């Protein structure tokens, strides 16, 4: 685990890792996340991308393939609250990527469970995730894998918990009831199948759940605790998020 001074320093470090990944020889797709934690990460990525030479930018554009973790059921790209709109605004548009290079589950699919199956199959056909970027939900979810959730859970459509709808209410005018009741998410199964995982956690509000996720025995009540068993998990946090961890770590 790496503890850095603050969320900005963390964001710069994560952005650098993502760019390195796209420059590297592993051309498996990136696994991408949304949420407030990722806003400074993608801002740093855009700044770094802008400083690259034209040929370097072109190489990254050509090789880009990413699969996002999740999407709200009922929201499509034209809704600014959808994760598709978030990704279009934060990365796809600014980096000049084609829409098809930045994949998300389709929140407007007629049959959400079938869409989850299609998304899982599309990811498998693309070779699975190389580097999976993850944030951490306040209730211990990753993607939208709500507790209780074990490591074998596949990509699926599921009901969001009251805690998660409250956590994400800010994007919906502060009204938790306006947050969609269901979402499609990659499962812990697909997340744990990634070759490498980069968990990014910032802010004092995540300190106690981060401690539970990393230090307590893995359990379905804290879905992120399944990450402990991943052989190539890297954790990047700021000082505030690390506050509840023993100092030696
Ligand atoms: C959201 C997303 C997760 C995200 C997490 C943390 O609900 N589904 O992918 O990592 O919760 O969000 P935030 O970074 O806004 O705290």
């Amino acid at each position: 685990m790496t503890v850095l001074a603050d969320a900005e320093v963390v964001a710069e470090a994560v952005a650098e890792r993502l760019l390195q990944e796209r420059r590297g020889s592993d051309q498996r797709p990136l696994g991408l996340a949304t949420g407030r934690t990722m806003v400074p990460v993608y801002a740093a990525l855009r700044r770094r991308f802008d400083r690259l030479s034209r040929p370097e930018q072109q190489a990254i554009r050509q090789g880009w393939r990413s699969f996002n973790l999740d999407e709200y059921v009922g929201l499509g790209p034209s809704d600014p609250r959808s994760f598709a709109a978030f990704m279009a605004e934060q990365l796809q548009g600014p980096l000049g990527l084609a829409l098809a290079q930045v994949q998300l589950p389709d929140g407007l699919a007629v049959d959400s469970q079938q869409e989850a199956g299609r998304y899982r199959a599309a990811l498998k056909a693309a070779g699975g995730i190389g580097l999976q970027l993850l944030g951490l939900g306040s209730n211990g979810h990753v993607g939208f894998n709500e507790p209780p959730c074990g490591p074998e859970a596949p990509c699926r459509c599921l009901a969001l918990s009251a805690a998660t709808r409250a956590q994400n209410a800010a994007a919906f005018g502060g009204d938790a009831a306006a947050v969609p009741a269901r979402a499609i998410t990659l499962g812990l199964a697909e997340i744990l199948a990634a070759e490498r995982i980069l968990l990014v956690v910032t802010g004092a509000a995540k300190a106690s759940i981060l401690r539970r996720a990393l230090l307590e025995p893995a359990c379905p009540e804290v879905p992120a605790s399944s990450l402990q068993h991943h052989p190539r998990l890297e954790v990047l946090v700021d000082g505030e998020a690390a506050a509840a961890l023993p100092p030696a770590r």
Side-chain angles (χ1 to χ4, degrees), residues 34-37 69-70 83 135-137 141 143-144 167-168 206:
T34 53
R36 281 155 293 190
T37 310
L69 285 164
D70 45 22
F83 291 158
L136 178 64
H141 73 218
F144 269 137
Q167 184 201 310
N168 289 1
K206 303 274 177 76

Side-chain angles (χ1 to χ4, degrees), residues 21-116:
E21 183 72 18
R22 284 297 79 185
R23 287 200 193 100
S25 52
D26 182 357
Q27 287 306 312
R28 266 186 294 175
L30 278 173
L32 294 181
T34 53
R36 281 155 293 190
T37 310
M38 301 306 157
V39 171
V41 168
Y42 295 144
L45 182 59
R46 295 193 299 271
R47 285 194 298 273
R48 284 168 184 268
F49 184 83
D50 286 345
R51 293 200 294 264
L52 298 176
S53 69
R54 283 291 164 96
E56 283 176 315
Q57 289 185 346
Q58 201 44 35
I60 284 174
R61 268 195 206 105
Q62 268 169 7
W64 191 281
R65 263 189 319 168
S66 58
F67 282 74
N68 265 73
L69 285 164
D70 45 22
E71 180 61 284
Y72 291 114
V73 168
L75 301 190
S78 64
D79 189 316
R81 303 165 304 178
S82 69
F83 291 158
F86 177 97
M87 293 307 294
E89 186 192 313
Q90 299 281 326
L91 274 191
Q92 179 261 323
L95 268 51
L97 304 169
L99 274 172
Q101 290 178 281
V102 182
Q103 295 280 321
L104 294 102
D106 179 3
L108 296 179
V110 178
D111 182 333
S112 303
Q113 216 54 263
Q114 204 173 55
E115 168 59 9

Side-chain angles (χ1 to χ4, degrees), residues 170-186:
F172 294 81
D175 179 9
V179 179
R182 294 189 306 142
I184 299 169
T185 185
L186 287 184

Side-chain angles (χ1 to χ4, degrees), residues 185-225:
T185 185
L186 287 184
L188 282 176
E190 290 82 19
I191 292 170
L192 292 170
E195 191 192 43
R196 283 151 294 132
I197 295 178
L198 181 56
L199 176 67
V200 182
V201 188
T202 57
K206 303 274 177 76
S208 109
I209 193 66
L210 178 65
R211 193 188 64 78
R212 289 184 68 194
L214 295 183
L215 296 187
E216 289 182 11
C219 65
E221 285 65 41
V222 182
S225 64

